[in-house]
Amino acid sequence: MNRVAVTGLGLVCALGNTVAESWQRLIAGECRILPMRDPGSPPYKFRNGAEAWDFKPLDHFTEKDLVILERFALLAVVAAREAVAQSGIRFEGDLCDRSAVITGSSVGGQFTEEEGYIRLYRENNPKVAPLTIPRTMANAGASRISLEFGIHGPAYTIATACSSSNHALGQAFWMIRNGQITAAIAGGSEAVFAEGLLRAWEAMRVVAPDVCRPFSADRKGLSLGEGAGMLLLENWNHARARGAAILGEVIGFGMSSDAHHITQPCVEGPAKAIDWAIRDAGISPDQVDYINAHGTGTLANDAIETQAIRTVLGRRADSVLVSSTKSMHGHTLGAAGAIEAVACLLTLKHGLVPPTVNFTAPDPACNLNIVANEAARAPMHIALSNTFAFGGLNATLVLKGPED
Amino acid sequence: MPEQVETDALAEKVIRVIAHTQRIPPESVSLDSTFEALKIDSLDGINIVFELEKEFNIEIPDDGVQNLRSVRDTIEGVRKLVRSKSQTAPPGAA
């Protein structure tokens, strides 16, 4: 079995256009869930969202590119470029065939799809844009990344709602560990601020009217966010041989299905994913220093996640540090796992835990050691990153710091 | 304030909406049915609330949805919202 190094990170989200910008805001505890640029007409029941506020497509792409790629794919490509640049990897020779691109996205190109429907149903115009299919397809980001870097190995996109990018990262991790590939660009992206999609979220009644307050007694739901996170995962020996700086390591992955209800969570499914991930990593629950929780801020998720963590971690659950960075960058759905994996790796590197902001009062149903409102300094070696999706699909990663 | 008539037009309409949304016969839904007994979960709940908002032209707040546990709660909740709507409507409004 091969060790799997992380040699590059990329982020674009409400917190910033780069990993460095985003990390500054994460440790400062800056909530970037702010009034949406388009409040809706009539207004949405929620006024705030975590848009990728500073992202300007033309800073990264030509006008022609924007004809072919829509927002969720643009975000994915920019994050991938940052990760590849940091890693210093060059996709040449055999490595092109031995590398993969695995991305997650829950819905793909919604803006383009909605533009097509506006023409069809509002304007009674049957001629929808000819690039609707390539712009909309959920693999548009993965395909462009593979094209841009000349990667000829496995390239595909996983859609498991809010677990999409953890499933993508887990797949890439296992493929490198098993020796099927040498390197992978893996992560996910999502662009949720399209009117039809926002109305659908509104109808589900799970979005907080103001901001999400994960694990807080007065939490009223999630806050939607957009963005992308990408990781360059690489065979450890390959990374060492080319002298790459190793930023951290993926050491375990676990997944499960609740087989319980299409939207209501249960304890057993998430607990199984966490347990499997810990076993896959070959560690004991006592070795876990930090959990980047799924922590959406809905009443059900946070209480159920607390029980799942307690079920698997036992007494360790009293002391392990837990936070939900969704309180700052929002719930980025198919990008959540990747953005939060980046946050975990930086947490491990710096020994500094980003907080759960907007936290006002503890909830007995969420009796974990929540890092509330201010970052906490602590020795860090191993972190878990949880994602639990609608549809009952759970995926947990185990990440390790760069020290050994 | 007089006791509410046990079944009236509004109550019957609410029961019809619940039955239709759940795809069950209206006669299987009584005033005393709990959502649990009718196997109405949170997802069914938001569907029912969506249909009720349409039927009665009201806005049901998110907190209200989470507290619905029975047919009687639902009817009384709808009744309150319908009343407050007719009180706030300008004179002559439909």
Side-chain angles (χ1 to χ4, degrees):
Chain A
M1 294 234 285
N2 303 293
R3 287 176 76 180
V4 179
V6 181
T7 55
L9 302 174
L11 265 190
V12 189
C13 63
L15 298 167
N17 287 336
T18 62
V19 169
E21 278 174 37
S22 301
W23 178 244
Q24 284 309 312
R25 287 191 161 120
L26 277 172
I27 53 168
E30 192 176 335
C31 176
R32 295 279 282 171
I33 303 162
L34 301 168
M36 291 184 290
R37 283 187 270 228
D38 179 358
S41 172
Y44 303 107
K45 284 184 185 166
F46 45 91
R47 58 182 179 280
N48 297 322
E51 298 181 41
W53 302 108
D54 305 326
F55 180 64
K56 295 188 180 68
L58 284 172
D59 290 351
H60 307 274
F61 298 94
T62 63
E63 296 268 6
K64 184 74 195 303
D65 287 332
L66 302 190
V67 174
I68 299 163
L69 295 171
E70 87 129 272
R71 193 166 174 90
F72 89 101
L74 300 174
L75 292 165
V77 171
V78 171
R81 286 176 184 167
E82 186 183 13
V84 170
Q86 182 178 25
S87 77
I89 199 166
R90 297 175 68 90
F91 294 101
E92 293 169 336
D94 287 350
L95 186 62
C96 297
D97 290 346
R98 304 261 313 153
S99 296
V101 182
I102 309 178
T103 64
S105 175
S106 63
V107 291
Q110 282 288 303
F111 289 95
T112 304
E113 193 167 319
E114 292 186 17
E115 281 157 18
Y117 291 139
I118 288 169
R119 283 207 204 181
L120 265 179
Y121 302 128
R122 189 184 286 168
E123 297 166 2
N124 271 330
N125 178 356
K127 290 188 184 299
V128 300
L131 295 186
T132 301
I133 299 293
R135 282 172 64 88
T136 303
M137 62 191 190
N139 60 302
S143 295
R144 171 61 183 245
I145 292 165
S146 102
L147 205 144
E148 205 165 299
F149 294 105
I151 293 171
H152 295 280
Y156 55 94
T157 298
I158 296 175
T160 49
C162 311
S163 291
S164 302
S165 54
N166 259 13
H167 277 125
L169 285 163
Q171 284 275 299
F173 159 59
W174 277 351
M175 285 168 81
I176 296 170
R177 192 172 68 173
N178 294 342
Q180 289 143 343
I181 53 169
T182 303
I185 300 169
S189 75
E190 202 79 66
V192 69
F193 293 94
E195 187 178 357
L197 195 52
L198 292 178
R199 291 295 177 200
W201 278 101
E202 177 177 66
M204 277 223 76
R205 295 173 182 263
V206 291
V207 182
D210 53 353
V211 291
C212 72
R213 303 180 188 283
F215 301 108
S216 187
D218 56 353
R219 64 190 181 279
K220 287 195 166 146
L222 55 86
S223 294
L224 292 164
E226 65 174 355
M230 291 291 164
L231 284 77
L232 199 302
L233 304 185
E234 190 173 349
N235 175 297
W236 185 276
N237 294 335
H238 186 270
R240 273 283 167 85
R242 67 180 185 87
I246 292 177
L247 312 171
E249 187 174 359
V250 185
I251 60 169
F253 175 55
M255 50 183 162
S256 71
S257 174
D258 291 349
H260 163 70
H261 187 275
I262 199 71
T263 56
Q264 264 172 17
C266 68
V267 175
E268 294 74 17
K272 276 193 184 114
I274 297 169
D275 186 48
W276 188 349
I278 286 176
R279 286 166 193 271
D280 190 55
I283 59 164
S284 98
D286 288 337
Q287 290 175 267
V288 179
D289 299 302
Y290 168 60
I291 301 175
N292 187 303
H294 188 52
T296 57
T298 64
L299 273 177
N301 175 81
D302 298 359
I304 294 277
E305 184 168 11
T306 300
Q307 290 179 54
I309 289 170
R310 289 205 160 273
T311 300
V312 184
L313 268 67
R315 294 193 58 164
R316 182 65 180 170
D318 292 330
S319 53
V320 67
L321 297 172
V322 179
S323 69
S324 169
T325 50
K326 288 188 176 72
S327 57
M328 294 176 270
H329 54 64
H331 189 350
T332 56
L333 311 171
I339 290 175
E340 290 156 30
V342 173
C344 278
L345 286 156
L346 295 169
T347 298
L348 293 166
K349 181 180 171 196
H350 296 285
L352 198 53
V353 179
T356 304
V357 303
N358 308 321
F359 187 94
T360 55
D363 177 355
C366 304
N367 56 345
L368 295 167
N369 190 9
I370 306 290
V371 178
N373 297 321
E374 277 180 36
R377 199 168 279 285
M380 286 281 138
H381 306 285
I382 289 175
L384 301 185
S385 181
N386 286 337
T387 56
F388 311 137
F390 274 164
L393 310 184
N394 313 296
T396 294
L397 287 168
V398 189
L399 303 159
K400 198 170 178 209
E403 75 281 6
D404 49 35
Chain B
M1 186 105 154
E3 279 293 299
Q4 213 42 258
V5 184
E6 277 292 278
T7 48
D8 55 14
L10 181 140
E12 272 172 25
K13 237 189 211 178
V14 171
I15 287 173
R16 250 198 341 265
V17 167
I18 292 173
H20 173 74
T21 311
Q22 291 302 103
R23 307 291 191 273
I24 53 177
E27 51 276 18
S28 66
V29 181
S30 78
L31 275 177
D32 295 314
S33 308
T34 62
F35 277 17
E36 198 184 352
L38 294 173
K39 297 193 166 57
I40 295 173
D41 64 22
S42 61
L43 202 58
D44 299 322
I46 59 173
N47 256 332
I48 290 169
V49 160
F50 181 77
E51 293 299 329
L52 290 171
E53 286 187 333
K54 228 171 28 180
E55 180 76 33
F56 293 97
N57 192 24
I58 51 176
E59 283 274 337
I60 301 175
D62 289 357
D63 318 9
V65 180
Q66 281 150 11
N67 296 327
L68 290 182
R69 296 277 180 276
S70 70
V71 174
R72 200 181 293 273
D73 288 351
T74 311
I75 291 168
E76 292 321 312
V78 168
R79 197 187 302 285
K80 247 185 237 164
L81 288 167
V82 169
R83 271 202 200 125
S84 67
K85 186 182 67 168
S86 62
Q87 279 162 8
T88 52

mmCIF file with all atom_site columns, all heavy atoms in Angstrom, chain A residues 65 157 189 338:
data_model
loop_
_atom_site.group_PDB
_atom_site.id
_atom_site.type_symbol
_atom_site.label_atom_id
_atom_site.label_alt_id
_atom_site.label_comp_id
_atom_site.label_asym_id
_atom_site.label_entity_id
_atom_site.label_seq_id
_atom_site.pdbx_PDB_ins_code
_atom_site.Cartn_x
_atom_site.Cartn_y
_atom_site.Cartn_z
_atom_site.occupancy
_atom_site.B_iso_or_equiv
_atom_site.pdbx_formal_charge
_atom_site.auth_seq_id
_atom_site.auth_comp_id
_atom_site.auth_asym_id
_atom_site.auth_atom_id
_atom_site.pdbx_PDB_model_num
ATOM 1  N N   . ASP A 1 65  ? -13.412 31.443 -23.299 1.00 0.00 ? 65  ASP A N   1
ATOM 2  C CA  . ASP A 1 65  ? -13.566 30.391 -22.284 1.00 0.00 ? 65  ASP A CA  1
ATOM 3  C C   . ASP A 1 65  ? -14.946 30.485 -21.624 1.00 0.00 ? 65  ASP A C   1
ATOM 4  O O   . ASP A 1 65  ? -15.568 29.477 -21.309 1.00 0.00 ? 65  ASP A O   1
ATOM 5  C CB  . ASP A 1 65  ? -12.512 30.538 -21.174 1.00 0.00 ? 65  ASP A CB  1
ATOM 6  C CG  . ASP A 1 65  ? -11.120 30.134 -21.631 1.00 0.00 ? 65  ASP A CG  1
ATOM 7  O OD1 . ASP A 1 65  ? -11.017 29.287 -22.528 1.00 0.00 ? 65  ASP A OD1 1
ATOM 8  O OD2 . ASP A 1 65  ? -10.148 30.679 -21.075 1.00 0.00 ? 65  ASP A OD2 1
ATOM 9  N N   . THR A 1 157 ? -16.802 12.619 -12.458 1.00 0.00 ? 157 THR A N   1
ATOM 10 C CA  . THR A 1 157 ? -17.423 13.473 -11.453 1.00 0.00 ? 157 THR A CA  1
ATOM 11 C C   . THR A 1 157 ? -18.436 12.661 -10.661 1.00 0.00 ? 157 THR A C   1
ATOM 12 O O   . THR A 1 157 ? -19.179 11.861 -11.227 1.00 0.00 ? 157 THR A O   1
ATOM 13 C CB  . THR A 1 157 ? -18.110 14.671 -12.132 1.00 0.00 ? 157 THR A CB  1
ATOM 14 O OG1 . THR A 1 157 ? -17.097 15.418 -12.805 1.00 0.00 ? 157 THR A OG1 1
ATOM 15 C CG2 . THR A 1 157 ? -18.818 15.564 -11.130 1.00 0.00 ? 157 THR A CG2 1
ATOM 16 N N   . SER A 1 189 ? -16.702 21.383 -6.744  1.00 0.00 ? 189 SER A N   1
ATOM 17 C CA  . SER A 1 189 ? -17.136 22.777 -6.883  1.00 0.00 ? 189 SER A CA  1
ATOM 18 C C   . SER A 1 189 ? -18.650 22.842 -6.990  1.00 0.00 ? 189 SER A C   1
ATOM 19 O O   . SER A 1 189 ? -19.299 21.865 -7.378  1.00 0.00 ? 189 SER A O   1
ATOM 20 C CB  . SER A 1 189 ? -16.508 23.423 -8.118  1.00 0.00 ? 189 SER A CB  1
ATOM 21 O OG  . SER A 1 189 ? -17.126 22.971 -9.303  1.00 0.00 ? 189 SER A OG  1
ATOM 22 N N   . ALA A 1 338 ? -14.301 19.204 -0.027  1.00 0.00 ? 338 ALA A N   1
ATOM 23 C CA  . ALA A 1 338 ? -12.978 19.628 -0.513  1.00 0.00 ? 338 ALA A CA  1
ATOM 24 C C   . ALA A 1 338 ? -12.526 20.899 0.189   1.00 0.00 ? 338 ALA A C   1
ATOM 25 O O   . ALA A 1 338 ? -11.377 21.009 0.622   1.00 0.00 ? 338 ALA A O   1
ATOM 26 C CB  . ALA A 1 338 ? -13.022 19.836 -2.022  1.00 0.00 ? 338 ALA A CB  1
#
